[in-house]
């Protein structure tokens, strides 16, 4: 019972998995939640499972507890809450809200009114309603003790529209808005709420999309992938940042803020798994936004 306890939603793959593993490295108990198990695949049709993630948490030194949870189903989240109350006396020191499930419903091309309305509504439902359901059911466990931390996970650290379609933009802005609200609401209970975001992510799905592996990803830069992929990062960079936030006694200074992986990297002196320091924010500000030729820019300055 001395172990700290985290609940990570959307922990099947990507940032959710990496965050769970890094918390395991701290020796925490981690409830690994998501829809894909070894016996049951989600509509994402990916091979990664919550059992795989839980085993990685164990290997890192923590205790991974896989719990299949569809966060669009209130009954599933109620069952998760019941297990937390039963197995760890209802303790949640950290709730990481990383549910997404919207990739296959996003339309990044063309006018919104020419896209599928059903897809748009499903994307927003999967991206926002799930977070509201998780928070409604699990926040009561977080605020039982002072010092609880809730971290929302989004895409991007600002609300300026840069394309990607209205539904996607709404979903990601909505998560940042939830983080801002949590910053204010949880302060009343001596807890902290905030949001984090990765940069250009080399997730399992992204590597597959570009037809490369973690060992060969550079082969895709400027070919299957845009030149910006040269400043990409593994999910572990954000995972390491979240682990630092979870152990920072002054984390309340970030209440309500959205912090990017590169911001956390610079704040805590982190590196990615290969020892690099990819600063996608600096790349965007100094290269993309100034109109430089991305093909001739010195990528090494941003890694």
């Amino acid at each position: 019972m001395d172990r700290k306890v985290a609940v990570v939603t959307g922990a099947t793959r990507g940032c959710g998995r990496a965050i769970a593993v890094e918390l395991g490295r701290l020796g925490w108990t981690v409830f690994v939640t998501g829809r894909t198990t070894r016996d049951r695949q989600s509509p994402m049709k990916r091979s990664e499972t919550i059992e795989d993630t839980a085993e990685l948490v164990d290997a890192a030194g923590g205790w991974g507890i896989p719990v299949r949870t569809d966060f669009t189903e209130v009954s599933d989240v109620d069952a998760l809450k019941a297990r937390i109350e039963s197995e760890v006396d209802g303790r949640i020191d950290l709730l990481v809200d990383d549910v997404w499930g919207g990739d296959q419903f996003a339309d990044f091309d063309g006018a919104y009114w020419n896209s599928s309305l059903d897809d748009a509504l499903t994307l927003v439902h999967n991206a926002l309603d799930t977070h509201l359901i998780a928070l409604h059911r699990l926040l009561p466990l977080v605020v039982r003790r002072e010092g609880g931390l809730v971290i929302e996970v989004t895409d991007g650290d600002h609300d300026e529209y840069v394309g990607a379609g209205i539904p996607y933009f709404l979903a990601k802005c909505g998560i940042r808005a939830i983080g801002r609200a949590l910053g204010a609401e949880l302060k009343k209970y001596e807890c902290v709420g905030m949001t984090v975001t990765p940069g250009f992510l080399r997730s399992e799905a992204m590597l597959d999309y570009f037809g490369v592996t973690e060992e060969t990803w550079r082969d895709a830069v400027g070919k299957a992938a845009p030149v910006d992929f040269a400043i990409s990062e593994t999910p572990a960079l954000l995972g390491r940042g979240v682990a630092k936030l979870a152990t920072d006694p002054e984390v309340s200074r970030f209440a309500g803020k959205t912090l990017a992986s590169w911001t956390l990297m610079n704040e805590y002196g982190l590196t990615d798994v290969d020892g690099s320091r990819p600063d996608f924010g600096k790349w965007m500000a100094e290269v993309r936004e100034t109109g430089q030729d991305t093909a001739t820019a010195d990528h090494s300055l941003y890694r």
Side-chain angles (χ1 to χ4, degrees):
M1 294 304 298
D2 291 334
R3 283 179 183 258
K4 288 200 170 185
V5 178
V7 176
V8 182
T9 77
T12 316
R13 63 187 69 83
C15 287
R17 169 174 285 189
I19 291 168
V21 171
E22 292 303 322
L23 294 172
R25 214 175 302 284
L26 296 176
W28 285 33
T29 295
V30 184
F31 284 85
V32 176
T33 68
R35 293 181 296 175
T36 301
T37 70
R38 288 172 181 165
D39 299 321
R40 186 173 177 184
Q41 195 175 55
S42 82
M44 299 293 291
K45 294 182 169 47
R46 295 285 309 175
S47 62
E48 301 87 3
T49 71
I50 56 173
E51 293 93 344
D52 296 338
T53 302
E55 289 177 358
L56 291 171
V57 171
D58 292 346
W63 181 23
I65 304 176
V67 183
R68 187 192 181 279
T69 312
D70 182 340
F71 284 89
T72 66
E73 298 291 339
V74 176
S75 60
D76 274 20
V77 185
D78 283 339
L80 169 64
K81 181 181 180 182
R83 283 198 60 176
I84 296 167
E85 290 176 322
S86 171
E87 297 180 23
V88 293
D89 197 29
R91 177 173 181 169
I92 300 180
D93 297 283
L94 169 61
L95 170 60
V96 179
D97 213 353
D98 186 41
V99 177
W100 167 226
D103 285 340
Q104 70 213 76
F105 304 107
D107 186 346
F108 300 125
D109 302 314
Y112 165 64
W113 50 90
N114 290 327
S115 65
S116 165
L117 179 58
D118 285 344
D119 283 354
L121 296 177
T122 301
L123 184 153
V124 173
H125 175 60
N126 284 2
L128 290 178
D129 293 0
T130 52
H131 285 240
L132 293 174
I133 292 168
L135 293 170
H136 188 273
R137 290 310 203 247
L138 300 181
L139 279 180
L141 304 186
V142 176
V143 300
R144 282 184 183 178
R145 301 172 179 82
E146 293 182 359
L149 177 60
V150 179
I151 298 179
E152 295 287 308
V153 182
T154 190
D155 179 11
D157 64 347
H158 60 80
D159 289 343
E160 295 179 26
Y161 185 65
V162 293
I166 292 173
Y168 186 91
F169 179 66
L170 171 62
K172 300 307 179 180
C173 284
I175 299 304
R176 287 187 288 271
I178 290 172
R180 290 193 294 272
L182 287 172
E185 292 293 330
L186 295 186
K187 185 177 181 180
K188 303 170 186 176
Y189 303 91
E190 300 297 326
C191 296
V192 176
M194 59 179 298
T195 307
V196 297
T197 177
F200 199 150
L201 195 64
R202 290 201 309 278
S203 64
E204 301 93 338
M206 190 65 73
L207 289 169
D208 287 349
Y209 182 77
F210 291 135
V212 289
T213 66
E214 182 54 31
E215 291 68 38
T216 64
W217 69 268
R218 291 176 180 80
D219 295 343
V221 175
K223 298 171 185 175
V227 175
D228 295 343
F229 198 51
I231 320 299
S232 62
E233 64 196 56
T234 74
L237 186 62
L238 186 63
R240 291 174 174 182
V242 169
K244 286 293 185 181
L245 290 170
T247 54
D248 187 339
E250 298 180 355
V251 70
S252 61
R253 70 190 187 277
F254 299 129
K257 297 184 182 299
T258 297
L259 300 184
S261 55
W262 57 88
T263 307
L264 293 168
M265 175 184 73
N266 292 322
E267 175 73 21
Y268 293 114
L270 305 173
T271 63
D272 208 338
V273 291
D274 61 358
S276 67
R277 306 187 77 243
D279 194 326
F280 195 69
K282 186 177 180 182
W283 166 264
M284 292 297 291
E286 295 184 359
V287 178
R288 273 288 182 186
E289 293 172 10
T290 61
Q292 287 190 48
D293 183 351
T294 58
T296 59
D298 187 351
H299 305 145
S300 66
L301 297 176
Y302 304 93
R303 294 195 63 84

